[in-house]
């Protein structure tokens, strides 16, 4: 009892400096350490109890662009139902998987999570369909790409601090957001030279998440049938493992257990294969150190091909995306031709950013439901 009381009395808050020292002592040699960050574009005082990557993560979670992900398409648009993944739930799932992989591989979990939560901030309404249309419309004006747009959001578009534009994230988080893409004109200063290993972990966590959960949402929607999915090794092996582990389950429970198994086997395989590669890697040039084993990669590619052919190109999905393409196109052209109808906050930026980039920023920031509402108000439904 005395020992417990003494221990309680000796407890104290864990400072940022102490956390940085823990990272220095315990993280793998290839990990990013918050105490060694290249810092921020605009100088700020450090927080006494949070590391720089923890602050990056928190700033991302609290920004408006992150909240809007709740109403942005993953596969099914917002009005299709309440149970399908959105960009926000997908980002949270990627964050969870990336933290797990980060812990297994001894890297910086906070940086993994910051990358994961920011990786889809730049997606316009209606997912990749909206991105494709905006890129086409912006072809002569610098193009449109969601990773570059995410960097633009955290560097320029978010307005939360009086002393600087954007969120003023660290060089490592900003590099991870941009990945290997090119920044838009005037951006990219103060950025890490190469992607940290944590960014590679988020990339594969993203792949694990959408491969497994798009299968789940496809069944939920009725567009995919389990008997068709048995043709893919990833699903078939997971189904059989779940059936063996929990015989006699009803269809819904069997499906949930199968998805759980698919995630588990992918995470476990990626952890083992990545550790093998990292042990052999040159720490100055990690390359593509994080990946699946060749056998798992083949299964994942087979599942992704199945999803492309059977879900993403399903007539019902394509029909919906045709309307979504029309909405994004008409809205962009309308605001490019009628800039005085843009909100005042956007009109003010036209001289600096140009009319077309400003219109693209406005459209890209819309949620699915806001884009549909705006379209109906302008053109009728």
């Amino acid at each position: 009892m005395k020992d417990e009381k003494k221990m309680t009395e000796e407890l104290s808050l864990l400072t940022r400096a102490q956390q940085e020292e823990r990272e220095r002592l315990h993280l793998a040699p290839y990990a990013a350490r918050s105490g060694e960050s290249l810092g921020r574009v605009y100088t700020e005082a450090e927080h006494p109890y949070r590391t720089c990557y923890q602050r990056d993560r928190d700033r991302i979670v609290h920004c408006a662009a992150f909240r809007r992900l709740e109403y942005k398409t993953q596969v099914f648009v917002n009005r299709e139902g309440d149970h399908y993944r959105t960009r926000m739930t997908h980002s949270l799932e990627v964050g969870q998987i990336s933290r797990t992989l980060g812990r297994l591989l001894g890297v910086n979990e906070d940086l993994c999570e910051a990358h994961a939560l920011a990786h889809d901030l730049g997606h316009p309404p209606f997912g990749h369909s909206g991105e494709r249309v905006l890129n086409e419309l912006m072809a002569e004006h610098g193009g449109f790409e969601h990773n570059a747009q995410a960097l633009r959001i955290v560097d320029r578009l978010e307005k939360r601090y009086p002393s600087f534009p954007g969120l003023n994230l660290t060089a490592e988080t900003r590099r991870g957001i941009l990945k290997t893409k090119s920044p838009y004109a005037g951006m990219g200063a103060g950025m890490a030279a190469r992607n940290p290993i944590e960014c590679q972990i988020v990339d594969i966590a993203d792949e694990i998440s959408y491969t497994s959960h798009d299968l789940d949402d496809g069944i939920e929607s009725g567009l995919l049938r389990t008997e068709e999915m048995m043709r893919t090794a990833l699903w078939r092996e997971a189904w059989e493992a779940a059936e063996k582990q929990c015989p006699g389950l009803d269809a819904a429970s069997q499906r949930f257990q199968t998805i759980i198994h698919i995630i588990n086997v992918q995470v476990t395989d990626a952890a083992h294969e990545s550790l093998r590669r990292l042990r052999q890697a040159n720490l100055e040039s990690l390359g593509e150190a994080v990946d699946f084993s060749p056998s798992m990669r083949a299964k994942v590619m087979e599942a992704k091909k199945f999803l492309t052919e059977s879900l993403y190109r399903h007539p019902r999905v394509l029909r919906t995306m045709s309307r979504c393409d029309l909405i994004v196109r008409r809205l962009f052209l309308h605001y490019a031709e009628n800039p005085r109808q843009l909100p005042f906050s956007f009109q003010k930026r036209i001289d600096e950013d140009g009319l077309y980039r400003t219109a693209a920023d406005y459209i890209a920031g819309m949620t699915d439901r806001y884009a549909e509402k705006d379209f109906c108000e302008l053109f009728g439904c």
Side-chain angles (χ1 to χ4, degrees):
M1 194 70 176
K2 287 183 179 180
D3 289 342
E4 289 182 10
K5 183 178 180 181
K6 184 179 179 181
M7 288 174 62
T8 303
E9 290 173 348
E10 290 175 351
L11 286 175
S12 61
L13 296 177
L14 194 62
T15 67
R16 172 186 52 80
Q18 289 172 322
Q19 293 178 64
E20 290 176 351
E21 180 63 12
R22 281 188 176 184
E23 290 179 3
R24 188 185 70 78
L25 293 174
H26 299 298
L27 292 187
Y30 42 74
R33 286 164 168 77
S34 55
E36 300 171 5
S37 170
L38 296 178
R40 307 177 190 278
V41 173
Y42 303 94
T43 302
E44 294 183 64
E46 294 288 356
H47 194 278
Y49 299 112
R50 288 184 294 155
T51 69
C52 59
Y53 300 145
Q54 290 169 2
R55 294 179 80 186
D56 283 355
R57 174 203 60 205
D58 298 345
R59 290 179 179 191
I60 291 161
V61 168
H62 288 281
C63 77
F66 183 77
R67 291 194 296 276
R68 288 196 295 266
L69 294 179
E70 182 177 2
Y71 299 105
K72 290 195 175 188
T73 297
Q74 178 65 18
V75 175
F76 297 97
V77 296
N78 181 250
R79 57 181 158 76
E80 295 272 355
D82 295 335
H83 292 173
Y84 300 120
R85 269 79 178 183
T86 66
R87 285 285 163 190
M88 177 179 281
T89 61
H90 167 69
S91 295
L92 293 172
E93 290 166 353
V94 175
Q96 174 261 309
I97 293 170
S98 67
R99 284 196 75 104
T100 298
L101 278 169
R103 186 171 301 160
L104 291 172
L105 294 172
V107 304
N108 199 304
E109 295 176 46
D110 296 321
L111 184 56
C112 285
E113 190 171 27
H115 285 165
L117 297 178
H119 86 282
D120 273 353
L121 289 180
H123 263 293
F126 313 124
H128 290 289
S129 178
E131 180 178 20
R132 177 180 51 76
V133 173
L134 277 181
N135 187 46
E136 176 188 325
L137 293 166
M138 289 291 291
E140 297 181 4
H141 310 285
F144 183 90
E145 196 280 326
H146 78 270
N147 293 298
Q149 186 68 16
L151 181 65
R152 182 169 172 77
I153 288 168
V154 301
D155 274 4
R156 300 278 298 279
L157 302 184
E158 283 286 333
K159 304 294 183 184
R160 303 190 67 82
Y161 300 94
S163 304
F164 48 78
L167 303 181
N168 198 28
L169 304 181
T170 62
E172 295 77 23
T173 297
R174 293 173 64 244
R175 166 52 67 192
I177 290 172
L178 187 62
K179 297 185 180 178
T180 59
K181 306 300 190 298
S182 298
Y184 295 138
M187 301 171 67
M191 191 180 297
R194 61 183 176 88
N195 280 327
I197 192 69
E198 288 80 1
C199 181
Q200 292 189 39
I201 287 173
V202 171
D203 280 346
I204 204 161
D206 184 27
E207 195 171 11
I208 291 168
S209 176
Y210 73 70
T211 300
S212 56
H213 293 145
D214 287 0
L215 289 169
D216 191 24
D217 281 355
I219 296 174
E220 178 75 19
S221 70
L223 302 186
L224 297 181
R225 295 184 301 157
T226 54
E227 51 266 36
E228 295 174 334
M229 294 163 64
M230 295 295 279
R231 298 200 302 265
T232 68
L234 190 65
W235 179 269
R236 183 177 62 254
E237 292 173 7
W239 180 277
E240 291 171 352
E243 200 169 40
K244 183 177 180 181
Q245 187 176 11
C246 304
L249 292 176
D250 60 81
S253 298
Q254 176 72 23
R255 181 179 109 214
F256 297 146
Q257 291 302 310
T258 300
I259 294 297
I260 290 169
H261 191 79
I262 286 174
I263 297 170
N264 282 338
V265 297
Q266 288 183 98
V267 169
T268 303
D269 180 273
H272 283 289
E273 176 64 16
S274 300
L275 181 61
R276 184 189 69 80
R277 294 184 181 203
L278 286 164
R279 283 171 172 166
Q280 300 173 353
N282 175 356
L283 296 183
E284 297 301 316
S285 178
L286 293 173
E288 296 303 315
V290 179
D291 203 350
F292 298 116
S293 66
S295 61
M296 180 58 71
R297 171 55 65 189
K299 293 174 187 176
V300 170
M301 295 306 294
E302 180 188 45
K304 289 168 72 172
K305 182 180 178 182
F306 171 80
L307 282 167
T308 298
E309 295 172 349
S310 302
L311 181 61
Y312 307 147
R313 294 178 183 168
H314 190 283
R316 187 177 123 190
V317 174
L318 292 177
R319 182 181 178 89
T320 300
M321 287 303 109
S322 291
R323 173 173 168 77
C324 295
D325 289 359
L326 173 66
I327 291 172
V328 172
R329 188 179 303 277
R330 289 285 299 276
L331 287 176
F332 178 88
L333 294 174
H334 174 80
Y335 286 114
E337 292 170 3
N338 302 277
R340 291 182 67 85
Q341 294 186 29
L342 287 166
F344 286 122
S345 59
F346 283 86
Q347 290 185 42
K348 293 176 183 177
R349 297 195 352 247
I350 291 175
D351 287 344
E352 181 180 358
D353 294 337
L355 172 59
Y356 295 103
R357 181 60 62 193
T358 301
D361 286 342
Y362 184 53
I363 303 301
M366 293 180 175
T367 61
D368 294 5
R369 65 180 185 177
Y370 185 86
E372 295 207 68
K373 176 177 176 288
D374 203 35
F375 180 85
C376 289
E377 289 179 357
L378 289 169
F379 307 112
C381 293

